[in-house]
Amino acid sequence: MTIPSPAGPQNEGSKNAAPQNAAPHSEGPRPAAPRPAVPRSGGPGGGPARALQRVTASALGPYQSAVVRIGFAATYLFFLLRELPNRHELYGPDSPWHWDLARQLTNGNEAFSVLMWTDSTVWFEAVYALTLLSAAALLLGWRTRTMSVLFMVGVLSVQNRSIFMGDGGDNVVHLMAIYLVLTRCAQVWSLDARRAARDAQRAAAGLPPLRDIVGPALWVLLGPVLVAATLMGGLGGTWWLPALLWTIWLSVAAWWAVNRYLPHGEPRTLLDVLANLTHNATLAVIMAEVCLIYATAGWYKIQGSRWQDGTALYYPLNLDYFTPWPALSDILGASGLMVMVLTYGTVIVQVAFPFTLFNRRVKNVLLVAMICEHAGIALLLGLPFFSMAMIAADAVFLPTAFLVWLGARATIGGRRLLSGLPGRSRTPGKPGASGPAHGPADPSEAGSVKDGRGGTEEPRLQGGGGGHTLVG
């Protein structure tokens, strides 16, 4: 074992005399650079300075944003798959809400839908299939930035084609599809994170990152489509959607140029700061959106006479449309005490939740209660996709420690499952052994990835794994 000699004048010279064949930008372990002294919270500007450094230096809530991404992508993917046999009647050429009627409505409310570009059946099938594929890719975290944009376009197009087919869950998916575009939701639990970890390992070994071809190809392919849609007026009548799409498309080009020519310079740091600010602001908007949903729902319920006398739950339990399990609904509806407890409990939980966000223990208790409530709605009232959407939205408040534990358990379970497949050996070191995947077990360990080859989709995690007050 080599014992490092104490630093001295003779060692300073050896430090400066680096070998000529050393890599100019090594990503191996380095001593921590001295940080500028930040005043304590008691001093002037200490608290605001630390808060500003936190929201600019890292994308907060990486696990929460990943769960939101997975949850909403899975919700819409399963919805599209379930309605695959009925797609023509719901959103296609056989819909009672005919294409001409939809065209008149979108012209009046300036809504966006690529299904309004033409009434061709082939075009409808292509858009439906693209929405399916983008939801699956977003679920897996493959090329997340591009897939989140395609997912948003698909969700808006399908829902705005027949707006009378939706419910409250569709409205939540509609909003969250827009918000996900602005988040860095692939820092963990994604194929992009695994690719970033692999590049970090190559950088630590002194190897250049793998050349990214798919990212620039997607950018080049979607550029003419965006230009044509803008010139033909096919982006709806609002100003924000064309501005958002053009900003994202140009920002991807900026990321590619900076990663290729200035991977370690100040422009890369500036882009990271802007991306972190956008992510953190959007995460705060998602939290506010969830609180607003529950607050408005709870206060509107308080004004209803059936909610006041504790009998509101009895009526949907006796509607044939909302009774997938009639026997179970009859058993629950026959108990007046149970109906009253669930009715009042629903109102109390929804009204109280926004006021408990800064008390972590109470917030977590109410969060579990709301998730159980939505699971009950899915089971008793036959509204699985509404419940999935709301549970995915609630996930933004889940504790980071719980999500890390859940991810570790899922990883262990996946490895055990793969180890039992034929052709895989349980003995480490032999062909077919089911050892750890390439890269860290937790993609957040990959750290900052410096891509000198023009990669445009790699997540760059700079801390933030601990969440923050509302989600941690």
Side-chain angles (χ1 to χ4, degrees), residues 104-121:
Q104 294 178 24
L105 182 60
T106 54
N107 288 338
N109 60 13
E110 299 182 339
F112 164 75
S113 176
V114 297
L115 292 176
M116 293 296 97
W117 292 0
T118 176
D119 60 350
S120 170
T121 304

Side-chain angles (χ1 to χ4, degrees), residues 10-228:
Q10 68 277 11
N11 294 329
E12 294 297 330
S14 62
K15 290 180 182 178
N16 297 330
Q20 295 181 358
N21 58 352
H25 297 290
S26 175
E27 293 294 332
R30 299 178 181 177
R35 297 181 178 180
V38 179
R40 299 259 180 199
S41 57
R50 281 207 305 273
L52 180 62
Q53 182 183 18
R54 182 165 176 79
V55 299
T56 57
S58 63
L60 302 178
Y63 294 95
Q64 288 79 8
S65 58
V67 172
V68 172
R69 182 199 87 232
I70 294 171
F72 280 99
T75 298
Y76 211 65
L77 175 63
F78 294 152
F79 171 77
L80 294 177
L81 289 175
R82 190 195 71 171
E83 301 299 344
L84 193 61
N86 309 313
R87 64 190 184 279
H88 287 268
E89 289 77 13
L90 291 177
Y91 305 105
D94 299 332
S95 173
W97 189 249
H98 196 263
W99 187 86
D100 293 331
L101 294 175
R103 183 70 173 176
Q104 294 178 24
L105 182 60
T106 54
N107 288 338
N109 60 13
E110 299 182 339
F112 164 75
S113 176
V114 297
L115 292 176
M116 293 296 97
W117 292 0
T118 176
D119 60 350
S120 170
T121 304
V122 176
W123 176 245
F124 167 76
E125 297 288 0
V127 173
Y128 199 92
L130 181 62
T131 307
L132 265 172
L133 294 176
S134 63
L138 186 63
L139 173 65
L140 298 175
W142 182 79
R143 304 290 167 178
T144 311
R145 181 62 57 214
T146 302
M147 293 302 118
S148 64
V149 175
L150 295 179
F151 178 72
M152 178 193 70
V153 170
V155 169
L156 298 184
S157 299
V158 172
Q159 290 187 353
N160 290 336
R161 167 61 178 85
S162 299
I163 61 173
F164 301 107
M165 294 291 108
D167 55 17
D170 292 314
N171 294 334
V172 176
V173 174
H174 187 109
L175 293 172
M176 294 300 173
I178 300 174
Y179 297 152
L180 284 175
V181 174
L182 302 174
T183 62
R184 309 185 83 171
C185 55
Q187 300 176 98
V188 296
W189 298 342
S190 67
L191 296 179
D192 287 344
R194 174 173 293 189
R195 182 158 45 88
R198 186 166 55 246
D199 286 345
Q201 287 184 338
R202 291 178 58 87
L207 300 174
L210 298 175
R211 185 176 181 85
D212 183 17
I213 299 177
V214 178
L218 290 173
W219 179 82
V220 172
L221 179 64
L222 295 177
V225 177
L226 181 58
V227 172

Side-chain angles (χ1 to χ4, degrees), residues 11 24 59 84 91 123-124 132 154 201 216 230 244 266 272 281 283 311-312 328-329 350 359 363 369 417 421-422:
N11 294 329
L84 193 61
Y91 305 105
W123 176 245
F124 167 76
L132 265 172
Q201 287 184 338
T230 304
L244 176 63
E266 293 183 357
D272 263 325
L283 201 63
T311 62
L328 184 60
S329 298
Q350 291 183 352
N359 188 317
K363 181 260 296 181
L417 180 63
L421 295 178

Side-chain angles (χ1 to χ4, degrees), residues 371-391:
I371 292 176
C372 293
E373 172 193 337
H374 291 301
I377 291 174
L379 178 64
L380 295 174
L381 303 183
L383 298 172
F385 299 110
F386 167 78
S387 299
M388 288 180 63
M390 292 308 304
I391 292 175

